[in-house]
Amino acid sequence: MIGTRFFLFAGLAMTAGVVQAANPACDMKAAEVEAQIAHARQNGNEHRQRGLERALANLRANCTDAGLIRDIQEDIDDQREDIRELEEDLAEKRAEGRQDKVARIERKLEEERAELGDLEGELQYLQGIAAKP
């Protein structure tokens, strides 16, 4: 979900010629936030617009491509840990014969693995953007 949104707005940023500075991945992230600001403005959501404007100012002041990549890598590490814990829980519930719990955990595990895939794709994409001269 998050990754899909990022790729969509990243594509918009590239077509708008935003990627020119020393931190192109941050520029793409800023373009994503700008698009969200425009959407909030269009829908009359002033509270969300102000919050996004603060986030954009913070992003512009503090963002580095290396920091974005590090943050995504941390998210990936956390996601892998969540998956590991779910797999342990799944094995335990199977051993107990708790089929009702097994099905629920399997669904959750599938969602977590999909999210991991999105994060890994986003990391790979950011690394590619950041590596371009």
Side-chain angles (χ1 to χ4, degrees):
M1 290 176 221
I2 294 170
T4 304
R5 247 190 355 258
F6 179 80
F7 288 123
L8 172 67
F9 290 115
L12 290 173
M14 287 181 64
T15 59
V18 173
V19 182
Q20 297 174 347
N23 290 300
C26 289
D27 291 341
M28 287 189 174
K29 188 73 170 171
E32 175 184 343
V33 175
E34 288 169 349
Q36 291 176 11
I37 290 169
H39 186 263
R41 185 178 299 126
Q42 200 172 24
N43 291 308
N45 192 340
E46 293 178 23
H47 179 70
R48 177 146 172 80
Q49 179 183 340
R50 283 192 305 272
L52 287 166
E53 287 169 347
R54 283 190 300 272
L56 181 60
N58 185 42
L59 181 70
R60 286 185 174 149
N62 301 311
C63 186
T64 64
D65 285 0
L68 278 179
I69 290 169
R70 184 181 56 248
D71 290 347
I72 295 293
Q73 186 59 58
E74 288 173 7
D75 291 346
I76 287 171
D77 293 344
D78 291 344
Q79 195 71 21
R80 287 182 178 151
E81 178 63 20
D82 291 347
I83 288 170
R84 187 191 62 74
E85 289 173 4
L86 280 170
E87 288 171 340
E88 288 176 2
D89 196 25
L90 180 61
E92 182 181 310
K93 297 306 177 199
R94 279 188 174 141
E96 294 172 359
R98 300 285 313 264
Q99 208 50 37
D100 58 324
K101 299 286 184 180
V102 167
R104 183 190 62 77
I105 294 170
E106 285 175 338
R107 282 191 303 275
K108 181 67 175 168
L109 199 49
E110 186 177 317
E111 291 170 10
E112 295 295 320
R113 286 179 176 148
E115 179 67 21
L116 176 61
D118 288 347
L119 288 168
E120 289 172 336
E122 188 172 343
L123 176 63
Q124 190 173 32
Y125 184 74
L126 287 175
Q127 288 171 331
I129 296 293
K132 290 183 181 176

